[in-house]
Amino acid sequence: MKFIKSIVRFIRYNEYKSVSLLCWWYSAIYRFQVLHMDTKKLRKKWGFEGEESPDDEAMENYRYAKAVSMCVNHVCNKTAWESKCLVRALTAQKLLKRKGIQSTMYLGCGMDEGKMVAHAWLRCGRMYVTGGNGEEYAVVDKFRA
């Protein structure tokens, strides 16, 4: 019964149904790829290495990027698999790319309680779509899509 209520709420109240479904689908694909594919093969699919997208976008692109950000974070919080920063950034990057919107995915490293941690975040224009702004991380690589 709870599952049916969830479906009804999704259909009734979600104005970005198709984006949410694509978020779910792409996050599953990217999670599988991160777990089972070689990193060298994956990096070729992430975009142009070492390049950045423009610092400004049209207002409608910012609106869509905000919707993508909201959907990716909402959907990835509820997936049965682990959808951390890299999966979220790749999912959002793919959704923006489908609309022809350029973005830059950053990969960085930082220190947390004496341990080195990795983080990924996505920028579209001046807006950070997923993963925050990454200010406490040193940028290791970036990919323009």
Side-chain angles (χ1 to χ4, degrees), residues 43-73:
R43 292 170 68 98
K44 292 177 183 177
K45 296 180 179 187
W46 291 349
F48 299 101
E49 189 170 359
E51 296 183 19
E52 289 199 50
S53 60
D55 286 339
D56 202 18
E57 281 290 337
M59 188 54 71
E60 61 268 5
N61 292 348
Y62 281 126
R63 284 190 199 104
Y64 184 73
K66 185 175 180 178
V68 165
S69 175
M70 182 185 68
C71 288
V72 166
N73 288 319

mmCIF file of all heavy atoms in Angstrom, residues 43-73:
data_model
loop_
_atom_site.group_PDB
_atom_site.id
_atom_site.type_symbol
_atom_site.label_atom_id
_atom_site.label_comp_id
_atom_site.label_asym_id
_atom_site.label_seq_id
_atom_site.Cartn_x
_atom_site.Cartn_y
_atom_site.Cartn_z
ATOM 1 N N ARG A 43 36.835 7.525 -18.165
ATOM 2 C CA ARG A 43 37.273 8.911 -18.330
ATOM 3 C C ARG A 43 37.021 9.421 -19.741
ATOM 4 O O ARG A 43 36.769 10.606 -19.934
ATOM 5 C CB ARG A 43 38.744 9.043 -17.979
ATOM 6 C CG ARG A 43 39.022 8.827 -16.511
ATOM 7 C CD ARG A 43 40.504 8.722 -16.242
ATOM 8 N NE ARG A 43 41.196 9.969 -16.465
ATOM 9 C CZ ARG A 43 41.511 10.825 -15.499
ATOM 10 N NH1 ARG A 43 41.184 10.555 -14.271
ATOM 11 N NH2 ARG A 43 42.159 11.932 -15.780
ATOM 12 N N LYS A 44 37.081 8.549 -20.725
ATOM 13 C CA LYS A 44 36.835 8.954 -22.114
ATOM 14 C C LYS A 44 35.382 9.371 -22.324
ATOM 15 O O LYS A 44 35.093 10.182 -23.190
ATOM 16 C CB LYS A 44 37.203 7.819 -23.062
ATOM 17 C CG LYS A 44 38.684 7.534 -23.107
ATOM 18 C CD LYS A 44 38.986 6.353 -24.008
ATOM 19 C CE LYS A 44 40.469 6.044 -23.968
ATOM 20 N NZ LYS A 44 40.817 4.865 -24.752
ATOM 21 N N LYS A 45 34.474 8.827 -21.509
ATOM 22 C CA LYS A 45 33.046 9.132 -21.650
ATOM 23 C C LYS A 45 32.625 10.382 -20.879
ATOM 24 O O LYS A 45 31.515 10.856 -21.035
ATOM 25 C CB LYS A 45 32.218 7.951 -21.143
ATOM 26 C CG LYS A 45 32.402 6.687 -21.931
ATOM 27 C CD LYS A 45 31.556 5.591 -21.359
ATOM 28 C CE LYS A 45 31.719 4.316 -22.162
ATOM 29 N NZ LYS A 45 30.792 3.279 -21.719
ATOM 30 N N TRP A 46 33.497 10.897 -20.024
ATOM 31 C CA TRP A 46 33.126 11.996 -19.141
ATOM 32 C C TRP A 46 33.208 13.361 -19.800
ATOM 33 O O TRP A 46 32.765 14.345 -19.223
ATOM 34 C CB TRP A 46 33.988 11.985 -17.892
ATOM 35 C CG TRP A 46 33.707 10.827 -16.991
ATOM 36 C CD1 TRP A 46 32.671 9.949 -17.073
ATOM 37 C CD2 TRP A 46 34.499 10.406 -15.881
ATOM 38 N NE1 TRP A 46 32.770 9.018 -16.078
ATOM 39 C CE2 TRP A 46 33.871 9.274 -15.327
ATOM 40 C CE3 TRP A 46 35.659 10.881 -15.291
ATOM 41 C CZ2 TRP A 46 34.370 8.609 -14.223
ATOM 42 C CZ3 TRP A 46 36.162 10.222 -14.189
ATOM 43 C CH2 TRP A 46 35.509 9.101 -13.659
ATOM 44 N N GLY A 47 33.803 13.468 -20.967
ATOM 45 C CA GLY A 47 33.899 14.751 -21.648
ATOM 46 C C GLY A 47 35.334 15.067 -22.027
ATOM 47 O O GLY A 47 36.204 14.199 -22.016
ATOM 48 N N PHE A 48 35.570 16.345 -22.337
ATOM 49 C CA PHE A 48 36.890 16.795 -22.753
ATOM 50 C C PHE A 48 37.728 17.107 -21.512
ATOM 51 O O PHE A 48 37.452 18.054 -20.778
ATOM 52 C CB PHE A 48 36.771 18.036 -23.644
ATOM 53 C CG PHE A 48 35.994 17.767 -24.900
ATOM 54 C CD1 PHE A 48 34.672 18.154 -25.008
ATOM 55 C CD2 PHE A 48 36.589 17.115 -25.969
ATOM 56 C CE1 PHE A 48 33.952 17.902 -26.156
ATOM 57 C CE2 PHE A 48 35.871 16.859 -27.125
ATOM 58 C CZ PHE A 48 34.557 17.250 -27.216
ATOM 59 N N GLU A 49 38.750 16.300 -21.313
ATOM 60 C CA GLU A 49 39.555 16.408 -20.098
ATOM 61 C C GLU A 49 40.370 17.698 -20.091
ATOM 62 O O GLU A 49 40.942 18.104 -21.099
ATOM 63 C CB GLU A 49 40.492 15.205 -19.984
ATOM 64 C CG GLU A 49 41.215 15.118 -18.668
ATOM 65 C CD GLU A 49 41.947 13.812 -18.485
ATOM 66 O OE1 GLU A 49 41.888 12.944 -19.371
ATOM 67 O OE2 GLU A 49 42.577 13.666 -17.440
ATOM 68 N N GLY A 50 40.386 18.363 -18.937
ATOM 69 C CA GLY A 50 41.175 19.578 -18.753
ATOM 70 C C GLY A 50 40.513 20.846 -19.254
ATOM 71 O O GLY A 50 41.088 21.922 -19.129
ATOM 72 N N GLU A 51 39.322 20.755 -19.811
ATOM 73 C CA GLU A 51 38.635 21.932 -20.346
ATOM 74 C C GLU A 51 37.469 22.326 -19.448
ATOM 75 O O GLU A 51 36.926 21.497 -18.724
ATOM 76 C CB GLU A 51 38.116 21.644 -21.759
ATOM 77 C CG GLU A 51 39.212 21.380 -22.764
ATOM 78 C CD GLU A 51 38.656 21.178 -24.163
ATOM 79 O OE1 GLU A 51 37.511 21.590 -24.434
ATOM 80 O OE2 GLU A 51 39.377 20.588 -24.981
ATOM 81 N N GLU A 52 37.099 23.608 -19.519
ATOM 82 C CA GLU A 52 35.978 24.115 -18.732
ATOM 83 C C GLU A 52 34.911 24.690 -19.646
ATOM 84 O O GLU A 52 35.208 25.175 -20.731
ATOM 85 C CB GLU A 52 36.444 25.196 -17.759
ATOM 86 C CG GLU A 52 37.271 24.653 -16.625
ATOM 87 C CD GLU A 52 37.338 25.613 -15.461
ATOM 88 O OE1 GLU A 52 36.275 26.100 -15.032
ATOM 89 O OE2 GLU A 52 38.446 25.853 -14.988
ATOM 90 N N SER A 53 33.684 24.649 -19.173
ATOM 91 C CA SER A 53 32.561 25.238 -19.896
ATOM 92 C C SER A 53 32.533 26.739 -19.648
ATOM 93 O O SER A 53 33.183 27.238 -18.723
ATOM 94 C CB SER A 53 31.256 24.583 -19.436
ATOM 95 O OG SER A 53 31.064 24.783 -18.062
ATOM 96 N N PRO A 54 31.756 27.493 -20.441
ATOM 97 C CA PRO A 54 31.667 28.949 -20.241
ATOM 98 C C PRO A 54 31.125 29.306 -18.856
ATOM 99 O O PRO A 54 30.408 28.526 -18.239
ATOM 100 C CB PRO A 54 30.680 29.408 -21.325
ATOM 101 C CG PRO A 54 30.602 28.305 -22.304
ATOM 102 C CD PRO A 54 30.973 27.047 -21.586
ATOM 103 N N ASP A 55 31.481 30.503 -18.391
ATOM 104 C CA ASP A 55 31.055 30.959 -17.068
ATOM 105 C C ASP A 55 29.640 31.514 -17.043
ATOM 106 O O ASP A 55 29.148 31.885 -15.980
ATOM 107 C CB ASP A 55 32.009 32.036 -16.540
ATOM 108 C CG ASP A 55 33.331 31.451 -16.102
ATOM 109 O OD1 ASP A 55 33.370 30.245 -15.824
ATOM 110 O OD2 ASP A 55 34.315 32.207 -16.027
ATOM 111 N N ASP A 56 28.995 31.611 -18.181
ATOM 112 C CA ASP A 56 27.642 32.172 -18.201
ATOM 113 C C ASP A 56 26.747 31.325 -19.100
ATOM 114 O O ASP A 56 27.203 30.751 -20.080
ATOM 115 C CB ASP A 56 27.666 33.608 -18.692
ATOM 116 C CG ASP A 56 26.463 34.403 -18.248
ATOM 117 O OD1 ASP A 56 25.789 33.961 -17.283
ATOM 118 O OD2 ASP A 56 26.167 35.446 -18.848
ATOM 119 N N GLU A 57 25.491 31.256 -18.731
ATOM 120 C CA GLU A 57 24.483 30.502 -19.483
ATOM 121 C C GLU A 57 23.223 31.344 -19.593
ATOM 122 O O GLU A 57 23.041 32.314 -18.848
ATOM 123 C CB GLU A 57 24.144 29.188 -18.769
ATOM 124 C CG GLU A 57 25.131 28.080 -18.966
ATOM 125 C CD GLU A 57 25.155 27.503 -20.376
ATOM 126 O OE1 GLU A 57 24.150 27.619 -21.113
ATOM 127 O OE2 GLU A 57 26.195 26.948 -20.746
ATOM 128 N N ALA A 58 22.346 30.951 -20.475
ATOM 129 C CA ALA A 58 21.051 31.626 -20.613
ATOM 130 C C ALA A 58 20.176 31.301 -19.404
ATOM 131 O O ALA A 58 20.347 30.262 -18.763
ATOM 132 C CB ALA A 58 20.370 31.166 -21.896
ATOM 133 N N MET A 59 19.227 32.182 -19.110
ATOM 134 C CA MET A 59 18.384 32.023 -17.926
ATOM 135 C C MET A 59 17.581 30.722 -17.974
ATOM 136 O O MET A 59 17.430 30.053 -16.951
ATOM 137 C CB MET A 59 17.447 33.220 -17.779
ATOM 138 C CG MET A 59 16.682 33.217 -16.477
ATOM 139 S SD MET A 59 17.712 33.089 -14.997
ATOM 140 C CE MET A 59 18.473 34.671 -14.970
ATOM 141 N N GLU A 60 17.086 30.315 -19.137
ATOM 142 C CA GLU A 60 16.313 29.061 -19.217
ATOM 143 C C GLU A 60 17.194 27.845 -18.946
ATOM 144 O O GLU A 60 16.726 26.841 -18.414
ATOM 145 C CB GLU A 60 15.574 28.926 -20.556
ATOM 146 C CG GLU A 60 16.453 28.900 -21.780
ATOM 147 C CD GLU A 60 16.695 30.282 -22.394
ATOM 148 O OE1 GLU A 60 16.269 31.297 -21.829
ATOM 149 O OE2 GLU A 60 17.321 30.327 -23.460
ATOM 150 N N ASN A 61 18.496 27.947 -19.287
ATOM 151 C CA ASN A 61 19.418 26.856 -18.968
ATOM 152 C C ASN A 61 19.652 26.759 -17.466
ATOM 153 O O ASN A 61 19.764 25.658 -16.928
ATOM 154 C CB ASN A 61 20.746 27.044 -19.693
ATOM 155 C CG ASN A 61 20.608 26.870 -21.197
ATOM 156 O OD1 ASN A 61 19.585 26.393 -21.684
ATOM 157 N ND2 ASN A 61 21.622 27.263 -21.924
ATOM 158 N N TYR A 62 19.705 27.915 -16.781
ATOM 159 C CA TYR A 62 19.829 27.900 -15.324
ATOM 160 C C TYR A 62 18.585 27.289 -14.678
ATOM 161 O O TYR A 62 18.684 26.552 -13.700
ATOM 162 C CB TYR A 62 20.049 29.307 -14.768
ATOM 163 C CG TYR A 62 21.463 29.807 -14.906
ATOM 164 C CD1 TYR A 62 21.725 31.019 -15.525
ATOM 165 C CD2 TYR A 62 22.538 29.085 -14.414
ATOM 166 C CE1 TYR A 62 23.019 31.499 -15.652
ATOM 167 C CE2 TYR A 62 23.836 29.550 -14.533
ATOM 168 C CZ TYR A 62 24.067 30.760 -15.155
ATOM 169 O OH TYR A 62 25.344 31.210 -15.265
ATOM 170 N N ARG A 63 17.421 27.594 -15.223
ATOM 171 C CA ARG A 63 16.187 27.017 -14.672
ATOM 172 C C ARG A 63 16.185 25.505 -14.813
ATOM 173 O O ARG A 63 15.813 24.776 -13.883
ATOM 174 C CB ARG A 63 14.967 27.613 -15.370
ATOM 175 C CG ARG A 63 14.636 28.999 -14.934
ATOM 176 C CD ARG A 63 13.290 29.460 -15.478
ATOM 177 N NE ARG A 63 13.221 30.901 -15.409
ATOM 178 C CZ ARG A 63 13.353 31.729 -16.445
ATOM 179 N NH1 ARG A 63 13.525 31.242 -17.664
ATOM 180 N NH2 ARG A 63 13.286 33.022 -16.279
ATOM 181 N N TYR A 64 16.590 25.022 -15.990
ATOM 182 C CA TYR A 64 16.637 23.579 -16.196
ATOM 183 C C TYR A 64 17.698 22.943 -15.304
ATOM 184 O O TYR A 64 17.473 21.875 -14.730
ATOM 185 C CB TYR A 64 16.902 23.256 -17.671
ATOM 186 C CG TYR A 64 16.862 21.777 -17.956
ATOM 187 C CD1 TYR A 64 15.650 21.097 -17.971
ATOM 188 C CD2 TYR A 64 18.025 21.053 -18.168
ATOM 189 C CE1 TYR A 64 15.600 19.726 -18.207
ATOM 190 C CE2 TYR A 64 17.994 19.689 -18.410
ATOM 191 C CZ TYR A 64 16.776 19.037 -18.426
ATOM 192 O OH TYR A 64 16.729 17.693 -18.647
ATOM 193 N N ALA A 65 18.845 23.597 -15.166
ATOM 194 C CA ALA A 65 19.909 23.067 -14.308
ATOM 195 C C ALA A 65 19.446 22.984 -12.855
ATOM 196 O O ALA A 65 19.786 22.041 -12.141
ATOM 197 C CB ALA A 65 21.164 23.929 -14.420
ATOM 198 N N LYS A 66 18.649 23.950 -12.418
ATOM 199 C CA LYS A 66 18.121 23.909 -11.054
ATOM 200 C C LYS A 66 17.167 22.736 -10.886
ATOM 201 O O LYS A 66 17.182 22.039 -9.869
ATOM 202 C CB LYS A 66 17.418 25.208 -10.718
ATOM 203 C CG LYS A 66 16.958 25.274 -9.292
ATOM 204 C CD LYS A 66 16.364 26.624 -8.946
ATOM 205 C CE LYS A 66 15.924 26.604 -7.492
ATOM 206 N NZ LYS A 66 15.399 27.873 -7.068
ATOM 207 N N ALA A 67 16.322 22.496 -11.892
ATOM 208 C CA ALA A 67 15.403 21.354 -11.849
ATOM 209 C C ALA A 67 16.185 20.042 -11.834
ATOM 210 O O ALA A 67 15.851 19.112 -11.089
ATOM 211 C CB ALA A 67 14.446 21.391 -13.036
ATOM 212 N N VAL A 68 17.232 19.970 -12.631
ATOM 213 C CA VAL A 68 18.079 18.766 -12.662
ATOM 214 C C VAL A 68 18.732 18.558 -11.307
ATOM 215 O O VAL A 68 18.749 17.441 -10.778
ATOM 216 C CB VAL A 68 19.142 18.873 -13.781
ATOM 217 C CG1 VAL A 68 20.237 17.835 -13.611
ATOM 218 C CG2 VAL A 68 18.489 18.740 -15.143
ATOM 219 N N SER A 69 19.244 19.618 -10.716
ATOM 220 C CA SER A 69 19.878 19.527 -9.402
ATOM 221 C C SER A 69 18.910 18.983 -8.362
ATOM 222 O O SER A 69 19.247 18.077 -7.593
ATOM 223 C CB SER A 69 20.377 20.907 -8.977
ATOM 224 O OG SER A 69 20.884 20.882 -7.673
ATOM 225 N N MET A 70 17.713 19.531 -8.351
ATOM 226 C CA MET A 70 16.698 19.100 -7.391
ATOM 227 C C MET A 70 16.338 17.624 -7.610
ATOM 228 O O MET A 70 16.288 16.845 -6.662
ATOM 229 C CB MET A 70 15.448 19.963 -7.532
ATOM 230 C CG MET A 70 14.355 19.642 -6.548
ATOM 231 S SD MET A 70 12.867 20.609 -6.866
ATOM 232 C CE MET A 70 12.335 19.903 -8.412
ATOM 233 N N CYS A 71 16.108 17.244 -8.860
ATOM 234 C CA CYS A 71 15.716 15.864 -9.161
ATOM 235 C C CYS A 71 16.832 14.877 -8.850
ATOM 236 O O CYS A 71 16.583 13.817 -8.266
ATOM 237 C CB CYS A 71 15.301 15.740 -10.626
ATOM 238 S SG CYS A 71 13.730 16.518 -11.008
ATOM 239 N N VAL A 72 18.063 15.208 -9.232
ATOM 240 C CA VAL A 72 19.185 14.296 -8.990
ATOM 241 C C VAL A 72 19.359 14.068 -7.497
ATOM 242 O O VAL A 72 19.492 12.930 -7.042
ATOM 243 C CB VAL A 72 20.483 14.834 -9.630
ATOM 244 C CG1 VAL A 72 21.700 14.096 -9.110
ATOM 245 C CG2 VAL A 72 20.415 14.721 -11.135
ATOM 246 N N ASN A 73 19.351 15.138 -6.721
ATOM 247 C CA ASN A 73 19.536 14.982 -5.277
ATOM 248 C C ASN A 73 18.371 14.231 -4.636
ATOM 249 O O ASN A 73 18.584 13.383 -3.775
ATOM 250 C CB ASN A 73 19.742 16.335 -4.608
ATOM 251 C CG ASN A 73 21.095 16.913 -4.938
ATOM 252 O OD1 ASN A 73 22.093 16.200 -4.959
ATOM 253 N ND2 ASN A 73 21.138 18.193 -5.225
#
